[in-house]
């Protein structure tokens, strides 16, 4: 009987993560109804509101999005076979001056086509004559995507793409793409590279939040500007909200005031007490809510993404990723990196929003990813075939040979202890997910997975890198401990 009671409580928790109508009431009257979030499949309740109310001030509001941009340059044939045109086995661009950018990637027309080869870029630091050495760009990126047969995948806007690479402030670029087909020798004139290769140069722009993240943010240091209490509206601040930014913030309005740049951390005692207030007798296994930087906090331009939100029924598993964007960034630059990845996913790759549900930087800061509400079961585009009933957490960096920072692994544990706890999931346990189709499991197959899995557990890929994958056992144990297991 005790097991049945636990199951019922878990289901109650899961059903309480809906988008609350109260959040929409916080929107200014002038905003049209489309600014509010689409209702997910689960019903709403007051339980998560009780869990969510912050006991410490959040950071001041920073509502103005950064004005970033994207340059898209078609590649041209290179080398001795340049006369072959699109069939040339090497394409690229020679050294050239360009407008300022900080992140690069290569895209092509057909999202189902593989780029079997090597992509290398070099960049010139802004206002200098200093060129970097050649840097490899991760070409195997199609496994980070929406599931087959979903509206996002079949929109007609999706392109094939490499992983993005962060190069820092630059105003010169050179790129080369070489076909490398293992075990095959192509006949002369046979096209080896996909059609429509383009170099994408992303400028994240400058946001008020830049430089706000960092070691001080992890400690939860207090800030002098206190926002209004949850459920209230500060009219002067609200005036800066756009329809899109209001909608993205409203789905978190039961956790923090509208337009907040962070969601404050709670202790485990506070988290459990507030749940017990809403659900008398409940004794959940749940970790303390960690501090989360919102989309407003990292300066998301909400006009880029699709306006509505997509949800799944619950969060039964967390897939851990690395962004494969390199480790050459400072924590103060993390919001810029995230804005760049967001723009690359939406503008260059044709996705509806950034693919990951959450991101973690090298200083252990946690960031809201895809819009829809951090406590909600938001449908992401992170693990091809397993985006339903899961969430994706990306640690910013490349961890094939580089050891991930301990604070980043700890942040993954803190986030999963809380978020999985909302849905009654044991971080050290197993769960079943149904494959939407991929290269490891056919569509429709029920697969037994760790509740905290690496991307490679659901798809044949190197992600999240061997060194980060090797730390998932530590994350599972720590998350379970934080839940009180």
């Amino acid at each position: 009987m005790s097991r049945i009671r636990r199951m019922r409580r878990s289901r109650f928790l899961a059903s309480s993560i809906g988008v609350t109508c109260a959040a929409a009431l916080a929107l200014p009257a002038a905003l049209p109804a489309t600014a509010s979030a689409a209702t997910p499949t689960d019903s709403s309740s007051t339980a998560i509101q009780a869990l969510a109310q912050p006991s410490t001030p959040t950071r001041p509001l920073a509502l103005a999005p950064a004005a970033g941009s994207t340059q898209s340059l078609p590649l041209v044939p290179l080398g001795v076979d340049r006369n072959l045109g699109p069939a040339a086995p090497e394409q690229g661009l020679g050294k050239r001056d360009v407008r300022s950018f900080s992140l690069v990637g290569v895209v092509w027309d057909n999202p189902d086509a593989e780029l079997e080869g090597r992509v290398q870029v070099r960049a010139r630091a802004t206002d200098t004559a200093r060129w970097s050495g050649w840097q490899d760009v991760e070409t195997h990126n199609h496994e980070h995507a929406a599931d087959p047969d979903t509206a996002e995948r079949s929109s007609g806007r999706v392109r094939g793409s490499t992983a993005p690479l962060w190069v820092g402030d630059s105003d010169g670029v050179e790129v080369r793409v070489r076909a490398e087909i293992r075990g095959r020798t192509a006949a002369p004139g046979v096209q080896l590279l996909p059609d429509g290769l383009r170099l994408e140069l992303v400028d994240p722009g400058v946001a008020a939040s830049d430089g706000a993240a960092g070691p001080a943010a992890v400690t939860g240091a207090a800030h002098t500007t206190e926002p209004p209490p949850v459920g209230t509206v500060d009219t002067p601040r609200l005036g800066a909200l756009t329809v899109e930014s209001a909608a993205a913030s409203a789905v978190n309005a039961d956790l923090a005031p509208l337009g907040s740049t962070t969601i404050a951390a709670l202790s485990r005692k506070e988290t459990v007490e507030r749940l017990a207030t809403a659900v008398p007798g409940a004794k959940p296994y749940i970790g303390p809510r960690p501090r989360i930087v919102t989309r407003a906090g990292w300066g998301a331009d909400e006009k880029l993404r699709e306006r509505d939100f997509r949800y799944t029924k619950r969060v039964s598993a967390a897939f851990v990723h690395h962004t494969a964007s390199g480790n050459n960034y400072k924590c103060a630059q993390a919001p810029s990196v995230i804005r760049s990845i967001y723009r690359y996913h939406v503008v260059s790759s044709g996705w509806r929003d950034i693919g990951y549900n959450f991101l973690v930087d090298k200083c252990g800061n946690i960031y809201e990813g895809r819009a829809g509400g951090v406590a909600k079961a938001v449908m992401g585009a992170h693990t091809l075939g397993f985006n339903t009933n899961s969430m994706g957490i990306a640690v910013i960096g490349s961890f094939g040979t580089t050891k991930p920072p301990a604070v980043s692994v700890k942040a993954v544990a803190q986030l999963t202890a809380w978020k999985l706890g909302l849905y009654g999931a044991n971080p050290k346990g197993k769960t079943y997910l149904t494959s939407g189709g991929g290269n490891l499991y056919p569509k429709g197959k029920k697969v037994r997975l760790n509740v905290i899995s690496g991307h490679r557990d659901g798809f044949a890929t190197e992600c999240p890198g061997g060194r980060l994958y090797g730390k998932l056992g530590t994350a599972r144990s720590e998350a379970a401990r934080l839940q009180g297991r």
Side-chain angles (χ1 to χ4, degrees):
M1 289 296 293
S2 61
R3 182 184 178 189
I4 293 174
R5 284 195 294 270
R6 288 197 299 271
M7 291 174 65
R8 286 174 177 168
R9 286 171 182 162
S10 295
R11 286 197 295 268
F12 183 88
L13 277 172
S15 68
S16 70
I17 318 295
V19 176
T20 61
C21 295
L25 294 177
L27 291 172
L31 295 179
T34 52
S36 60
T39 304
T41 53
D42 5 2
S43 61
S44 61
S45 159
T46 59
I48 296 308
Q49 294 179 16
L51 268 171
Q53 295 177 7
S55 56
T56 58
T58 60
R59 286 188 60 84
L61 304 186
L63 303 178
S69 64
T70 301
Q71 301 170 70
S72 185
L73 309 177
L75 302 192
V76 299
L78 299 176
V80 295
D81 296 319
R82 66 170 61 93
N83 61 311
L84 296 177
E90 182 175 355
Q91 298 184 36
L93 294 172
K95 284 184 179 180
R96 63 183 56 208
D97 297 334
V98 293
R99 298 193 307 275
S100 180
F101 70 98
S102 296
L103 179 140
V104 303
V106 172
V107 301
W108 53 94
D109 294 342
N110 184 358
D112 296 320
E114 290 270 13
L115 196 166
E116 298 188 71
R118 188 176 189 183
V119 177
Q120 293 181 302
V121 299
R122 54 192 306 212
R124 185 186 62 207
T126 298
D127 295 331
T128 73
R130 186 175 67 253
W131 285 84
S132 71
W134 287 104
Q135 301 180 73
D136 285 303
V137 179
E138 175 59 60
T139 59
H140 299 291
N141 190 55
H142 70 285
E143 63 270 20
H144 298 82
D147 288 349
D149 303 324
T150 60
E152 181 171 4
R153 180 71 175 182
S154 57
S155 68
R157 298 188 301 272
V158 179
R159 292 174 168 179
S161 60
T162 67
L165 178 68
W166 176 261
V167 295
D169 293 341
S170 305
D171 59 10
V173 70
E174 184 177 10
V175 60
R176 60 191 184 196
V177 179
R178 293 173 176 169
E180 296 179 356
I181 311 298
R182 295 179 183 176
R184 286 174 50 191
T185 302
V190 174
Q191 185 168 336
L192 299 178
L193 294 173
D195 286 326
L197 288 169
R198 304 183 72 89
L199 177 67
E200 302 290 293
L201 305 176
V202 180
D203 172 18
V206 179
S209 58
D210 288 353
V218 180
T219 66
H223 300 279
T224 56
T225 304
E226 184 171 348
V230 172
T232 64
V233 175
D234 187 322
T235 303
R237 287 171 172 168
L238 203 57
L241 285 170
T242 65
V243 170
E244 294 82 7
S245 61
S249 184
V251 287
N252 288 320
D254 50 352
L255 284 77
L258 198 66
S260 294
T261 60
T262 62
I263 295 169
L266 295 177
S267 69
R268 183 170 187 272
K269 181 180 179 182
E270 291 171 317
T271 304
V272 172
E273 284 178 350
R274 286 169 182 174
L275 178 63
T277 300
V279 190
K283 295 181 179 179
Y285 290 108
I286 187 169
R289 187 182 72 198
R291 176 184 180 274
I292 301 172
V293 179
T294 66
R295 290 171 65 92
W298 53 262
D301 181 353
E302 299 295 353
K303 292 185 178 180
L304 292 181
R305 63 170 175 82
E306 291 188 15
R307 294 183 66 172
D308 63 324
F309 309 129
R310 300 282 172 83
Y311 297 90
T312 184
K313 292 181 178 180
R314 59 187 179 276
V315 179
S316 298
F319 286 98
V320 178
H321 305 255
H322 66 172
T323 59
S325 53
N327 303 310
N328 189 29
Y329 73 95
K330 298 177 181 178
C331 292
Q333 294 176 306
S336 295
V337 177
I338 296 171
R339 288 198 305 275
S340 298
I341 294 173
Y342 170 47
R343 178 172 277 275
Y344 183 70
H345 282 180
V346 177
V347 176
S348 301
S349 303
W351 300 1
R352 70 188 323 273
D353 195 350
I354 191 170
Y356 308 112
N357 298 104
F358 297 93
L359 298 97
V360 174
D361 70 20
K362 63 172 64 176
C363 286
N365 296 296
I366 300 170
Y367 301 84
E368 178 183 16
R370 181 164 287 208
V374 298
K376 320 294 193 270
V378 178
M379 173 78 82
H382 48 83
T383 306
L384 182 64
F386 290 101
N387 291 305
T388 297
N389 297 336
S390 72
M391 68 174 178
I393 304 168
V395 181
I396 302 172
S398 302
F399 302 105
T401 58
T402 300
K403 181 180 178 181
V407 290
S408 300
V409 177
K410 183 178 180 180
V412 170
Q414 292 170 330
L415 175 58
T416 52
W418 173 69
K419 184 65 179 278
L420 292 172
L422 293 176
Y423 293 85
N426 181 353
K428 293 184 72 174
K430 305 282 187 179
T431 190
Y432 282 91
L433 295 179
T434 301
S435 173
N439 64 0
L440 277 182
Y441 303 104
K443 183 177 181 179
K445 181 176 178 60
K446 291 186 176 181
V447 182
R448 189 169 184 259
L449 295 161
N450 287 311
V451 169
I452 299 179
S453 286
H455 186 181
R456 62 176 64 179
D457 294 319
F459 199 97
T461 173
E462 291 298 313
C463 185
R467 300 298 296 273
L468 178 55
Y469 187 78
K471 294 294 183 180
L472 294 189
T474 300
R476 294 183 191 109
S477 297
E478 177 64 6
R481 185 190 70 80
L482 290 170
Q483 283 191 349
R485 296 183 185 271

